[in-house]
Amino acid sequence: MPQQKSEHIPRATIQRLAVYVQVLENLQREGTEVISSEPLAKACNVNASQIRKDLAYFGEFGVRGVGYYVKNLIASITSALGVDREWRTVLVGVGNLGKALLNHKEFRLRGFNIVGAFDCDPFKIGEEVSGLEVVCTKRLREMIGDNGAEIGIITTPPERAQRAANHLVEAGINGILNFAPSRITVPDHVNVEYVDFFHHLYALSFNITHPNSK
Amino acid sequence: MPQQKSEHIPRATIQRLAVYVQVLENLQREGTEVISSEPLAKACNVNASQIRKDLAYFGEFGVRGVGYYVKNLIASITSALGVDREWRTVLVGVGNLGKALLNHKEFRLRGFNIVGAFDCDPFKIGEEVSGLEVVCTKRLREMIGDNGAEIGIITTPPERAQRAANHLVEAGINGILNFAPSRITVPDHVNVEYVDFFHHLYALSFNITHPNSK
DNA sequence: TAAGATATGAGAATTATTTCACAAATTTGG
DNA sequence: CCAAATTTGTGAAATAATTCTCATATCTTA
Ligand SMILES: NC(=O)c1ccc[n+]([C@@H]2O[C@H](COP(=O)([O-])OP(=O)(O)OC[C@H]3O[C@@H](n4cnc5c(N)ncnc54)[C@H](O)[C@@H]3O)[C@@H](O)[C@H]2O)c1
Ligand SMILES: NC(=O)c1ccc[n+]([C@@H]2O[C@H](COP(=O)([O-])OP(=O)(O)OC[C@H]3O[C@@H](n4cnc5c(N)ncnc54)[C@H](O)[C@@H]3O)[C@@H](O)[C@H]2O)c1
């Protein structure tokens, strides 16, 4: 069982592990069974020792002289990341984006089941979206007590994100994925990740504007 | 005019600058006119000298003893990032996600105008989405010659992303925002950013699973 | 106009991450 | 079964990024 060997693991390592899984899954789909760090590194656009060092935080998954068995390595990394299980999630803010996410089947496929949908708009409460009844945000605590969700997804307007986060924290969630373009403040034990593709467009803009700074 | 003072700027700095803009815009909406690095840092969840150092790459934007004028600082950072102008973009892959993005008005609002929509499915070509006629991917080069787009957005299935990227590169694009969950290979002068919220869910999963490793 | 309070900007010190280099393990072919 | 060819895993070295510290600049108030 891949067990964490060392204390602190860089955030960058976690991000790369997600990339490795993605690339390995595509390789697997194309029929590759074994791969060594060199070509995998090329496909992921990183240094080969970087991959080996990242993996070394969790154990020894390769075979010297051979490389890594793709299927095996996927299993090892997903286990290290903790995504080899079901994660129950709830979504707050059933608007355009919220509905699109509720209908997105990939969540369930990847083990992130959305088991609750919440909104504060009385016109939306009671509506059914993708097999879930939209419930009043005030009942978040009670509902999470029932369904045991651990991750909250925020898709409210930015000025409501902090309020939504407060409700989620109070309800006992310990991870938040925030799609609203605003930062939220939460207690230390709660993890927050932000999704905002404009940040990526900004990065492109910068890199195109300053081509030499690479 | 904010001019780049130093040669290499860390990628992490660029990502943070985008966060600063986001937080500053929200502060501005709430009426804040001046802010010092300490409270701004708190809102962005970073160290105050980090902010000052990040800004120092581009110039001196603060007033000693006072702090930063919010409006001014937003202008300085957006100028540094190169997002104080219009960026013309094209989108390849007019499916569920592609259509949602084409209808998303925020792009235009933020200066990223989608001026072309491409797909290879003959049933989709000719269809009109959000005021744009869907055009065959093969005509990408010709169309970009006309509309002068510089950024391409990929929303094809993962196994088609590389092909889409090749078309975009050939057409002379120099930045790509890839929503497909696969890595693409492009020449050195082309910049690629990846958007995948499962990577963020993976990070949450890891952090919740290993609470001590923070 | 001078003193006290505040907050930036930048060099130095620290800490973290990445890359290198190579010993150890495994396979393959004669 | 041994030698040659691979390729991992890891300590050491090199790089990079972050944080600390403080001199310097500005504002406020008396
Ligand atoms: N639409 C997109 O494609 C898109 C893309 C990226 C980011 N976003 C961001 O995602 C968020 C949602 O976008 P949208 O287009 O779905 O907006 P929307 O207005 O359609 O939906 C927002 C929903 O949140 C609900 N809401 C408001 N306050 C709430 C609260 N306190 N508790 C619970 N629910 C609350 C509203 O009733 C509404 O149903 C925005 O912050 C937007 O910037 C949207
Ligand atoms: N739907 C979502 O909410 C969502 C969210 C995140 C990521 N994604 C990713 O975005 C991509 C698109 O998702 P979707 O749900 O819109 O899929 P989709 O199948 O609805 O759309 C894909 C579109 O791409 C077109 N296409 C295929 N090959 C092409 C090519 N070579 N050139 C041009 N067009 C081509 C298809 O004709 C189709 O119209 C997928 O990779 C998916 O994993 C989707």
Side-chain angles (χ1 to χ4, degrees):
Chain A
M1 277 300 97
Q3 189 121 19
Q4 202 168 313
K5 278 164 87 187
S6 169
E7 38 347 297
H8 173 76
I9 288 159
R11 197 200 138 69
T13 291
I14 302 308
Q15 295 183 157
R16 281 191 299 267
L17 288 175
V19 173
Y20 304 158
V21 173
Q22 181 181 79
V23 169
L24 287 165
E25 283 177 347
N26 286 334
L27 285 167
Q28 191 175 46
R29 250 196 309 122
E30 290 158 16
T32 308
E33 295 192 344
V34 184
I35 192 165
S36 63
S37 57
E38 197 60 65
L40 179 59
K42 201 157 286 171
C44 299
N45 216 17
V46 296
N47 183 293
S49 10
Q50 182 79 85
I51 293 185
R52 300 201 296 271
K53 176 107 347 179
D54 285 339
L55 296 175
Y57 284 115
F58 298 95
E60 306 191 1
F61 308 123
V63 182
R64 295 179 187 207
V66 179
Y68 301 91
Y69 291 97
V70 173
K71 190 179 159 190
N72 238 285
L73 189 53
I74 292 173
S76 302
I77 300 178
T78 52
S79 162
L81 290 172
V83 292
D84 57 344
R85 49 160 280 201
E86 188 199 50
W87 285 93
R88 297 166 81 75
T89 71
V90 293
L91 183 144
V92 184
V94 188
N96 296 126
L97 178 61
K99 276 180 188 158
L101 294 180
L102 285 168
N103 284 313
H104 194 45
K105 55 196 173 308
E106 192 86 0
F107 276 101
R108 193 167 305 257
L109 245 91
R110 296 247 157 226
F112 293 89
N113 275 3
I114 307 184
V115 296
F118 299 86
D119 206 295
C120 66
D121 180 348
F123 289 102
K124 296 215 161 135
I125 293 166
E127 199 184 321
E128 194 179 300
V129 181
S130 193
L132 284 176
E133 189 190 333
V134 179
V135 174
C136 176
T137 319
K138 291 194 174 125
R139 293 180 53 203
L140 208 38
R141 189 178 203 155
E142 154 203 348
M143 297 291 281
I144 285 177
D146 290 351
N147 65 29
E150 288 178 76
I151 293 176
I153 302 174
I154 296 179
T155 50
T156 64
E159 63 275 16
R160 300 301 189 88
Q162 183 61 60
R163 193 179 309 188
N166 295 347
H167 280 296
L168 286 166
V169 169
E170 242 185 75
I173 233 82
N174 40 30
I176 292 178
L177 186 66
N178 184 14
F179 283 87
S182 62
R183 296 276 130 172
I184 56 180
T185 303
V186 296
D188 264 1
H189 72 277
V190 179
N191 304 281
V192 183
E193 288 283 325
Y194 297 89
V195 181
D196 189 334
F197 52 74
F198 281 107
H199 287 3
H200 295 275
L201 284 170
Y202 284 12
L204 281 182
S205 163
F206 175 81
N207 286 320
I208 297 173
T209 309
H210 307 270
N212 36 329
S213 83
K214 285 204 288 195
Chain B
M1 277 305 94
Q3 189 120 21
Q4 204 168 311
K5 280 166 84 186
S6 168
E7 38 346 296
H8 173 74
I9 288 160
R11 196 200 138 71
T13 290
I14 302 308
Q15 295 183 156
R16 281 190 299 265
L17 288 175
V19 173
Y20 304 158
V21 173
Q22 182 181 81
V23 168
L24 288 165
E25 283 177 347
N26 286 335
L27 285 168
Q28 190 174 47
R29 252 197 308 122
E30 290 159 16
T32 308
E33 295 192 344
V34 183
I35 193 164
S36 62
S37 58
E38 196 60 65
L40 179 59
K42 202 158 284 170
C44 299
N45 217 17
V46 298
N47 183 292
S49 11
Q50 182 79 84
I51 294 186
R52 300 201 295 271
K53 176 101 358 178
D54 285 341
L55 296 176
Y57 284 115
F58 298 95
E60 305 190 3
F61 308 124
V63 181
R64 294 181 187 202
V66 180
Y68 301 90
Y69 290 97
V70 173
K71 191 179 159 188
N72 237 285
L73 189 54
I74 291 173
S76 302
I77 301 177
T78 51
S79 162
L81 290 172
V83 293
D84 56 345
R85 48 160 284 200
E86 189 200 47
W87 285 93
R88 297 167 80 74
T89 70
V90 294
L91 184 145
V92 183
V94 188
N96 296 126
L97 179 60
K99 278 180 188 159
L101 294 179
L102 285 168
N103 285 313
H104 194 45
K105 56 196 173 306
E106 191 86 1
F107 276 102
R108 194 167 304 256
L109 245 92
R110 296 247 156 227
F112 293 90
N113 275 2
I114 307 184
V115 297
F118 298 86
D119 206 296
C120 66
D121 179 346
F123 289 102
K124 295 215 163 137
I125 293 166
E127 197 183 324
E128 195 180 298
V129 182
S130 191
L132 286 175
E133 190 191 330
V134 179
V135 174
C136 176
T137 318
K138 292 195 174 124
R139 294 179 53 203
L140 208 37
R141 190 178 204 154
E142 154 203 349
M143 298 290 281
I144 284 179
D146 290 350
N147 65 30
E150 290 178 74
I151 292 177
I153 300 173
I154 296 180
T155 50
T156 64
E159 62 276 15
R160 299 302 189 88
Q162 183 62 59
R163 193 179 309 188
N166 295 347
H167 281 295
L168 287 167
V169 168
E170 242 185 74
I173 233 80
N174 40 30
I176 292 177
L177 185 66
N178 183 15
F179 283 88
S182 62
R183 297 275 130 172
I184 55 180
T185 303
V186 296
D188 263 359
H189 72 278
V190 180
N191 302 282
V192 184
E193 289 282 326
Y194 297 89
V195 180
D196 190 334
F197 52 74
F198 281 107
H199 287 4
H200 295 275
L201 284 170
Y202 284 13
L204 281 182
S205 163
F206 174 80
N207 287 319
I208 298 173
T209 309
H210 306 270
N212 37 330
S213 82
K214 283 206 284 193

